[in-house]
Amino acid sequence: MAEQAPKAPWWVPLFWPLSHVKKALKLQRPAALEPLEATPDLDLQGHLSSVVASLRSFLLAYLAINACDYPAYGAARTWSFQWMWPLLVRNLIATWVICGFWDWFLYLSPMKEVLRPFKMNPKYPPLRQLQHDALHTTLATLCGSGVEILLCRLWATGMLPMQETLAEAPLWTLLWAATIVHWRIPHFYLMHRGMHPWRTTRVPDFGKFLYRHVHAQHHKSYLPTAFSGTNMHPVEATLYYLMPSLFMAYLCRLHPAVALGCIFDCAVGAWLGHDGFRWPGAGDFFHQLHHEHFDCNYGAQHIPIDKWLGTYCGSKADLKKVWGTSSSVGREGNMECTQVWDCK
């Protein structure tokens, strides 16, 4: 009889990776686990966990800003590599520490066999995929750093209004800080859905072009790991980091820590959400189904746009409910543009 899979407590994001590693070290290998199910939206515990993740990103951003003379407050008034390089180095180190440690722990460490039953897909990606994704995620981090540099320049020159201190509007800041995940998801859906085939004849299918030339790189990682999270074409990586952070900073006159927290959350959320494991991993089965079946689950459960627009799938069989009997959807329908890694 299958064992009931343990569920992560709502507060877990605040203590990653300590909470996850502690849980993993106490695991006993189960005979079998209940099948996973991707619901179209989150329950209350899921929303609370998302708020905790948002506040984690905000706090990390606030610490990063106050750990140095942040260029948004003056230095960025003039272009100089002197204020840019610390941002680049900080972001690259964070990328390699977070993704490198987590992929090693899940896929290469002595814990690999203990964690095997908790992998959402039993197949494992080849080492070549990890190396490829590490390189391209590093390049994506450079794109995200470019977005941060642009924001600092706009703030410092007054072209983008900001709250200089938290004391200016503490409740307003707390509102946007606690909901970072929730308000960045619609931006992600819009960009992500636009980079998949639109499957319509009413207008030219630019999504098919964008998928072939831009987004297909991300789907090469059919079974993703943490380093796959931002394995993106530079165009996609730049839009991924830019769209929610710049738009909301302009619209809502935010403290820099909220916009920078959004950039951090885009990164960490993608890295951990792609790790491929259920708890004590941090993987997102809803998005795992998107990687396996392509033409569904373009957004996330926090704001259930897929449910509202009819593109939610809880399993491969649900593809027929979304697209009928079309043979041009799913993994088989996307192989012409996607050279996936051979996973065993």
Side-chain angles (χ1 to χ4, degrees):
M1 183 176 178
E3 294 183 21
Q4 185 174 4
K7 189 173 182 180
W10 62 270
W11 44 262
V12 151
L14 192 61
F15 298 100
W16 181 92
L18 298 178
S19 52
H20 298 71
V21 172
K22 180 181 178 181
K23 178 66 177 179
L25 292 174
K26 294 182 177 180
L27 286 176
Q28 294 183 349
R29 189 181 180 93
L33 290 172
E34 288 184 343
L36 284 165
E37 179 183 359
T39 57
D41 42 27
L42 295 178
D43 57 15
L44 178 59
Q45 180 173 329
H47 285 291
L48 284 174
S49 186
S50 298
V51 169
V52 171
S54 297
L55 291 174
R56 174 190 63 191
S57 297
F58 170 76
L59 291 172
L60 288 173
Y62 187 74
L63 290 173
I65 287 172
N66 287 275
C68 62
D69 185 13
Y70 198 60
Y73 291 100
R77 291 193 187 97
T78 59
W79 290 111
S80 172
F81 190 65
Q82 185 174 357
W83 62 264
M84 298 179 196
W85 74 261
L87 307 183
L88 293 167
V89 171
R90 176 245 284 158
N91 293 340
L92 288 171
I93 290 174
T95 299
W96 276 85
V97 168
I98 295 171
C99 296
F101 168 74
W102 203 227
D103 272 353
W104 171 82
F105 183 75
L106 295 176
Y107 290 91
L108 302 172
S109 79
M111 292 297 297
K112 175 182 176 180
E113 291 305 317
V114 176
L115 291 165
R116 185 181 290 272
F118 298 87
K119 195 167 186 308
M120 292 187 284
N121 187 306
K123 294 183 178 180
Y124 275 70
L127 182 60
R128 288 185 302 120
Q129 176 184 318
L130 294 176
Q131 294 167 338
H132 171 276
D133 291 356
L135 171 62
H136 287 276
T137 274
T138 300
L139 297 176
T141 292
L142 294 178
C143 295
S145 300
V147 171
E148 183 181 359
I149 288 169
L150 173 63
L151 288 173
C152 285
R153 172 67 176 176
L154 295 175
W155 279 320
T157 57
M159 297 177 67
L160 186 64
M162 68 173 181
Q163 296 173 26
E164 295 194 7
T165 67
L166 296 181
E168 286 186 36
L171 294 180
W172 180 255
T173 299
L174 179 61
L175 169 66
W176 295 109
T179 56
I180 287 175
V181 176
H182 289 84
W183 53 255
R184 75 172 180 83
I185 289 303
H187 296 267
F188 171 67
Y189 181 94
L190 181 64
M191 182 202 76
H192 189 200
R193 182 65 187 93
M195 288 189 177
H196 275 270
W198 300 351
R199 307 198 184 283
T200 180
T201 57
R202 297 177 181 176
V203 295
D205 194 344
F206 292 112
K208 187 174 183 179
F209 173 86
L210 290 172
Y211 181 81
R212 178 185 292 271
H213 297 286
V214 178
H215 190 52
Q217 176 180 317
H218 184 67
H219 275 276
K220 184 177 175 69
S221 302
Y222 173 64
L223 296 180
T225 74
F227 265 125
S228 307
T230 52
N231 163 36
M232 298 175 178
H233 186 284
V235 170
E236 180 177 3
T238 301
L239 290 174
Y240 177 65
Y241 287 116
L242 179 68
M243 283 178 60
S245 56
L246 179 60
F247 179 80
M248 296 302 290
Y250 174 79
L251 185 68
C252 301
R253 190 176 173 269
L254 300 174
H255 187 280
V258 179
L260 182 58
C262 176
I263 294 175
F264 285 2
D265 197 76
C266 284
V268 176
W271 298 337
L272 301 186
H274 282 77
D275 74 12
F277 286 78
R278 65 169 93 192
W279 170 252
D284 178 357
F285 186 59
F286 183 91
H287 193 68
Q288 175 85 12
L289 288 173
H290 173 75
H291 271 265
E292 294 191 21
H293 306 305
F294 294 75
D295 296 291
C296 62
N297 300 1
Y298 300 105
Q301 297 152 294
H302 314 75
I303 305 294
I305 303 176
D306 286 287
K307 175 183 177 180
W308 299 337
L309 299 184
T311 52
Y312 156 73
C313 286
S315 66
K316 182 178 180 180
D318 288 342
L319 281 174
K320 293 182 179 180
K321 299 177 183 177
V322 177
W323 302 107
T325 57
S326 173
S327 61
S328 63
V329 300
R331 183 182 181 187
E332 297 77 11
N334 287 273
M335 283 301 97
E336 179 185 350
C337 303
T338 315
Q339 296 180 347
V340 301
W341 295 101
D342 184 19
C343 301
K344 298 179 181 180

